[in-house]
Amino acid sequence: MAILFVGCNHDDIYDVTDAESTSMQNQARVAEGVIPFTVENVNEALPNVLSYYQQHRPEVAERFGNYSVNATHVYYKFSPQDSIQQARLMEVEDAIQLTTQPFEFSPVEPANDPEEDEIPVFYAIIESGTVIPEVPHEVIAELHFTDEDKLEDVPSNYDEIEFKQNLMYETRKLAGHLDDEEIAEGYMNYHEGFEEGQSGESMVSPMGLFGKKWRPSGNIRVEEDIVHTNNNNRNHFEPVKQARVNVLKWGWLQVEHGTTDNNGYFSTGTTYTKNVHYKVKFKHDHVTVKAGNFYDTASYFSGSHKRAPLNITFINSGALSYYQFFALIHNASYDYINRVVSQYGLHSPGNLNISGKFNGSDSESGAQWYPFNSAIRIGRLNDDNTYRGSDGIYATTVHELTHSGHRKMDPGMFSIFHLGNKERLLMCESWAEGVETIVTNDRYNNLFASNGYGTYRSTNSWNQVVALRGWNGWRQNQAISGMNEYTPLVIDLVDDFNQQQALNNNNLPMDRVTGYNLGEIKSALNDARTLEEWKNRLLNNFNNNTGPFIDDVFDYAKFVMHNNL
């Protein structure tokens, strides 16, 4: 069994070859339901700490004898009543670090997706005196956190750093928030473990790192499980790019933050806090992935890390599959906007929200009334409630982002006055289906070839002949009479595969046209309202030797409009 090390000095990593993973949320808290850092609890801890110093280092006790335990932060519960109030919170989400689960309890993965209109309550720890959004709220507790992270790591500050860390240690001890290792360690003593040099602060060298500053960092990856589906003895992991990572001392107060690079690595500023938790938010510069509906940003909250990095791979196993789903959407949207749009000459969908439905099968796109809804919804499951596979999640995300780009390029095509127009529906869906198919096959064929994984076989084409085992290959073996609005029209304009001839079946489209690219097809589609107009723009605006055969594919598309769409 794979083991995930939580609340210890090991990375969140595992051997995926045998693999059943357990939840990374275990042991995120020690004393469930207890808020350690209340002003009252810190005030109770202070005399104990001063008594220790009076016995061991009276000069420190004298220096901090009048230490004031005031409210440095406030623990709030926000209860937005509508999407407008929720949007006010989202405007400051990164600044106040909202969460939908109270800090004093271990986070758990939800059993079901929330309803579309289900607005959660939010929790936040906010610095005292900060103006908060005008949203119904209550104060859960006034908290006190020491500010040693603001102090430079030099010997002249060691007494203050040590005192403040020991005050927090005693506070956590009274609340039952210390593990056995921390209890055994006892109070920090900066003067133990240091040797004096010849003279001056610069000559003091650390012999131990108990309380020295350190830099939280790590690497975040996600499993492309289609590789394992194709090859039982192979696994492939992709870096999660441009994800936001927050570092929370003891799982409560954000002290640092970072962003993953193109290799999935991140590094933050430094902290004295030995015991931190990491929060990974599936959010990049253009897309925020939402969990279930659009009200809550999808995120992963790690267990305890003692001066250790977060090295984690979200795999398709156990509780981690929940986060793998969001990470796959995150990566697909990042790839689409930062690579696919320019490489294939597509129109960018701009900034938007994507709601991931872990237990859902419906996927769709619509207008983005940002920030009041998600432009896109992605279901993890197929219509028969089977898992889409990582290539299916990529393909579905590409499909819906293509709709969003089309809507942004040509909003008139999506006019509410033409919602029942079958021809427009067929044009929109055939375009998105074509981009989905070509981009997905290109990506996974390259991924398999460059890594020596053999020939890519998609999760939706396993029963097809060898030539059609790529993504959506089955559409090339679909009789015209059985087609709906998701025709292979765009695929046929690009590829050099004549399905009627290759498969010796007169019920399939005759496809003698080839060589158009997606950028040309998009340009011709822009402002076109009929299949005939789309076709004529391709013929008139682009030179193609197979242009005389273009009626092959547009004629069968016109026939499909009579198929009871």
Side-chain angles (χ1 to χ4, degrees), residues 187-202:
Y187 279 10
M188 176 187 303
N189 188 331
Y190 252 89
H191 289 262
E192 292 178 358
F194 286 85
E195 286 185 342
E196 294 295 336
Q198 296 177 8
S199 64
E201 292 183 350
S202 63

Side-chain angles (χ1 to χ4, degrees), residues 23-25 101 107-110 221-222 240 280 282 298-302 312-315 317-330 358 380:
S23 173
M24 285 303 305
Q25 310 299 350
Q101 302 197 49
V108 294
E109 297 81 19
R221 302 183 301 171
V222 61
V240 179
V280 181
F282 300 107
S299 57
Y300 164 79
F301 191 83
S302 82
I312 186 166
T313 303
F314 299 115
I315 62 173
S317 179
L320 286 180
S321 62
Y322 184 72
Y323 307 101
Q324 183 220 19
F325 173 52
F326 299 125
L328 288 171
I329 295 174
H330 175 100
F358 183 79
R380 182 175 175 271

Side-chain angles (χ1 to χ4, degrees), residues 19-70:
E20 179 167 339
S21 300
T22 56
S23 173
M24 285 303 305
Q25 310 299 350
N26 297 335
Q27 301 178 20
R29 299 289 185 275
V30 178
E32 294 288 308
V34 176
I35 302 173
F37 308 103
T38 63
V39 169
E40 294 78 11
N41 200 45
V42 181
N43 264 321
E44 185 177 347
L46 180 60
N48 297 343
V49 178
L50 291 175
S51 176
Y52 163 82
Y53 280 108
Q54 286 164 359
Q55 295 177 42
H56 296 88
R57 296 176 59 207
E59 70 280 8
V60 176
E62 182 178 358
R63 177 179 174 185
F64 296 101
N66 294 320
Y67 183 85
S68 176
V69 181
N70 58 321

Side-chain angles (χ1 to χ4, degrees), residues 408-450:
K408 199 170 184 69
M409 173 183 74
D410 183 10
M413 185 66 164
F414 299 85
S415 167
I416 60 174
F417 300 108
H418 299 276
L419 289 179
N421 188 295
K422 294 181 180 180
E423 191 165 15
R424 291 191 182 201
L425 174 65
L426 185 144
M427 292 167 69
C428 291
E429 293 298 351
S430 296
W431 165 240
E433 193 76 0
V435 174
E436 168 196 327
T437 303
I438 292 163
V439 169
T440 301
N441 280 312
D442 284 355
R443 180 178 188 270
Y444 284 95
N445 283 329
N446 289 334
L447 186 151
F448 273 61
S450 61

Side-chain angles (χ1 to χ4, degrees), residues 24 75 177 209 244 350 377 470 560:
M24 285 303 305
Y75 182 11
H177 268 238
L209 293 176
R244 313 290 172 83
R377 294 168 179 81
V560 171

